[in-house]
Amino acid sequence: MGMGRYIAYRLVNAVIILFLAVLLMSALFTKLATIQLNAQVNEEVQMWVRAYTQQHHQQPTKEMIERYREARIKYYRLDKPYWKRMWMYTVDTFFFRWGKSFVKVFGTTDIVSQIKTALGRTVLLFTTSEIFIILIGLSLGLKSARRPGSILDRTISIIAMIASSLPMWWVGMLMILLFVVYLGWLPITLYSQVEVSGWANILKKMSLPVLTIVLVSFGGWAWTTRNIMIGTMQEDFIMVARAKGVPERKIIYGHALKAAAPPIITMVIFGLIGSLNGAIITEIVFNWPGMGRLYYEALQLNAVRTMMALNYMFAVITVLSMVLADILYAYLDPRIRIGGAARS
């Protein structure tokens, strides 16, 4: 199977998986949306009755109220069967036609604008943190793998074990307590409100969550990279290269790292793209207005359409990570494409 056909095959599979995932989500969320829309119709009818009474100094007749109710029911498609509404909801969600929410989040009811705003802020915080984690984790893991059993290797292993076991939200609260409350290096107003203005304040507000995310996560990266590299360093071709007198630095960075590239690249892809999901508890602790905060607000306000759109975005991010990992695997190891062709 050629590279082009392999990519097309994976993309078609990804689209099918996404559509089935949206169909399943729509089956669940359409029921919730029906309950919410019925409540919305009742509220709009009551508001219309009050407005009509104030304007005409008399209440509308039952026939007028029923006609207005039927118009609102038709407007929200509640007059259509459940399966038809579920199908329309699936198609609209799949093609990013998310519409508007009943409540304002980040100053707007347009769901696309809400997600664009939250996604940009999530990239600013979590993707930046993930880049630091990858760079620090890879460098420490490679250094540890060069001298297994050394003091550096044992130190990194202990730090990785301790850091990975710490809850991020708890470390975040300790960071705020230390640097904001006790030391006073940062103003409390940065973390007592959700949004701040000015790049200087945004960068200051980023400092503690970035430090927290890196401290909690870099150890796991270093430990995983170390184990992958140690396993690769024991392969026969590494022994042959050493027997030929190839410099150790060239063996590690030219031979071993290239052979260990597929799992490391998979970690990088899932780490970078997975950072777009944000983190609900971490964003709440630091009052950061990202994807996690948006999902929390949607849950609090019962914004069903926003929750559906966010779930779809999370599914797109996950499937995209898998597709990119498959394509890079196939590029680095053509045997994957050959195996796929044999199975098909």
Side-chain angles (χ1 to χ4, degrees), residues 186-207:
L186 294 169
I188 190 65
T189 53
L190 289 177
Y191 302 101
S192 61
Q193 54 190 358
V194 177
E195 299 189 40
V196 296
S197 59
W199 275 105
N201 288 329
I202 292 174
L203 291 176
K204 287 179 182 178
K205 186 169 183 175
M206 280 179 60
S207 58

Side-chain angles (χ1 to χ4, degrees), residues 23-300:
L23 186 64
L24 179 60
M25 286 188 291
S26 296
L28 300 174
F29 277 95
T30 300
K31 185 65 176 177
L32 294 176
T34 301
I35 298 172
Q36 187 185 51
L37 289 173
N38 283 324
Q40 180 70 17
V41 168
N42 292 331
E43 184 178 347
E44 290 181 3
V45 169
Q46 292 175 5
M47 291 175 61
W48 179 80
V49 169
R50 286 195 297 266
Y52 184 93
T53 303
Q54 291 176 0
Q55 184 178 0
H56 298 87
H57 304 289
Q58 63 177 359
Q59 288 190 345
T61 63
K62 291 184 178 180
E63 291 78 9
M64 294 172 63
I65 295 174
E66 287 303 316
R67 282 201 301 268
Y68 183 80
R69 184 187 298 276
E70 290 174 2
R72 301 315 295 168
I73 289 174
K74 188 174 182 180
Y75 175 79
Y76 290 120
R77 302 174 180 175
L78 292 173
D79 58 327
K80 300 184 182 300
Y82 172 82
W83 67 268
K84 196 168 186 177
R85 282 185 285 122
M86 184 188 74
W87 178 255
M88 289 188 295
Y89 203 19
T90 301
V91 174
D92 287 344
T93 302
F94 187 79
F95 289 104
F96 302 95
R97 297 194 295 263
W98 297 330
K100 296 184 181 295
S101 175
F102 290 126
V103 292
K104 278 189 176 183
V105 181
F106 300 153
T108 180
T109 58
D110 184 66
I111 297 177
V112 173
S113 299
Q114 292 175 357
I115 292 180
K116 281 183 179 179
T117 302
L119 188 60
R121 293 164 175 170
T122 295
V123 170
L124 185 62
L125 177 62
F126 287 94
T127 306
T128 301
S129 303
E130 192 65 29
I131 291 172
F132 284 121
I133 291 168
I134 291 171
L135 294 176
I136 296 172
L138 281 177
S139 60
L140 290 178
L142 291 174
K143 288 183 180 295
S144 181
R146 291 179 66 177
R147 299 180 181 86
S150 63
I151 296 177
L152 176 65
D153 180 37
R154 293 176 183 177
T155 303
I156 291 175
S157 300
I158 293 172
I159 292 174
M161 181 178 61
I162 294 175
S164 300
S165 63
L166 295 176
M168 192 176 295
W169 59 268
W170 181 75
V171 177
M173 294 175 68
L174 289 182
M175 289 290 179
I176 293 175
L177 189 64
L178 176 62
F179 292 103
V180 177
V181 179
Y182 288 160
L183 298 178
W185 290 359
L186 294 169
I188 190 65
T189 53
L190 289 177
Y191 302 101
S192 61
Q193 54 190 358
V194 177
E195 299 189 40
V196 296
S197 59
W199 275 105
N201 288 329
I202 292 174
L203 291 176
K204 287 179 182 178
K205 186 169 183 175
M206 280 179 60
S207 58
L208 284 188
V210 168
L211 180 61
T212 301
I213 296 169
V214 172
L215 282 177
V216 173
S217 304
F218 85 93
W221 259 89
W223 175 255
T224 305
T225 304
R226 169 203 181 266
N227 290 341
I228 292 173
M229 288 299 296
I230 287 179
T232 305
M233 295 287 287
Q234 296 175 355
E235 297 290 340
D236 292 339
F237 68 92
I238 298 294
M239 303 298 180
V240 172
R242 282 176 173 160
K244 290 181 178 180
V246 178
E248 189 69 16
R249 185 178 181 84
K250 187 175 181 180
I251 290 176
I252 291 175
Y253 294 99
H255 295 75
L257 187 58
K258 185 178 180 180
I264 292 176
I265 286 176
T266 302
M267 291 167 54
V268 171
I269 291 173
F270 278 93
L272 289 175
I273 300 183
S275 66
L276 302 180
N277 291 328
I280 294 178
I281 300 179
T282 303
E283 291 182 24
I284 292 173
V285 168
F286 291 103
N287 262 336
W288 186 263
M291 293 287 280
R293 182 84 193 191
L294 177 59
Y295 201 93
Y296 176 76
E297 295 287 344
L299 286 171
Q300 291 290 101

Side-chain angles (χ1 to χ4, degrees), residues 29 32 295 298-299 302-312:
F29 277 95
L32 294 176
Y295 201 93
L299 286 171
N302 197 26
V304 177
R305 295 187 69 88
T306 303
M307 287 189 286
M308 178 68 181
L310 284 170
N311 282 329
Y312 178 55

Side-chain angles (χ1 to χ4, degrees), residues 266 269-274 316-326:
T266 302
I269 291 173
F270 278 93
L272 289 175
I273 300 183
V316 169
I317 290 169
T318 302
V319 173
L320 180 62
S321 303
M322 296 171 64
V323 170
L324 285 177
D326 283 343

